[in-house]
Amino acid sequence: MLRDIQYPEIFKELRDAYPKFPTGRTKNHVAFKAYESVTKADKLTESDWKLIIQDIKERVAHQKHWTPDDVFGPPGLQVFINQRRWHDDYERRTVRSMDRYDR
């Protein structure tokens, strides 16, 4: 049963670091399947996932589309994992690059 799944601590940390908006976009069991398959296929270790979690935290802090004010928000966690989006480049927001509504 889906409620009985015991998720590893590193997955819980990943899930908790990832933005929760828009609501309903991420299902834990689907994200966990993506986590398992990518971990196995890419031979990712816990330290690799810690780096990915750090990348998520930086994206939340610096990427405009990852803020709750954005209508679309980030992709679902399973999409982020399956498409290995941590490899994607993004523009870091600074005070200079923010528009007047972001300040």
Side-chain angles (χ1 to χ4, degrees), residues 21-97:
F21 55 89
T23 57
R25 186 168 283 178
T26 297
K27 304 288 185 229
N28 284 335
H29 65 281
V30 177
F32 183 65
K33 283 183 183 179
Y35 164 84
E36 285 183 318
S37 67
V38 169
T39 299
K40 187 176 180 180
D42 294 357
K43 297 182 175 85
L44 297 176
T45 63
E46 189 169 320
S47 61
D48 294 329
W49 283 110
K50 293 230 183 243
L51 292 172
I52 293 168
I53 292 167
Q54 185 60 39
D55 177 72
I56 290 170
K57 290 177 181 177
E58 288 179 19
R59 287 174 189 269
V60 168
H62 296 289
Q63 197 169 12
K64 184 175 184 175
H65 298 294
W66 284 50
T67 60
D69 301 333
D70 189 71
V71 176
F72 299 107
L77 179 57
Q78 66 275 8
V79 173
F80 183 83
I81 294 170
N82 279 329
Q83 295 180 359
R84 288 133 175 105
R85 294 266 182 108
W86 54 88
H87 294 300
D88 294 353
D89 291 331
Y90 64 95
E91 182 180 341
R92 294 181 185 273
R93 292 186 334 158
T94 62
V95 173
R96 193 173 268 182
S97 68

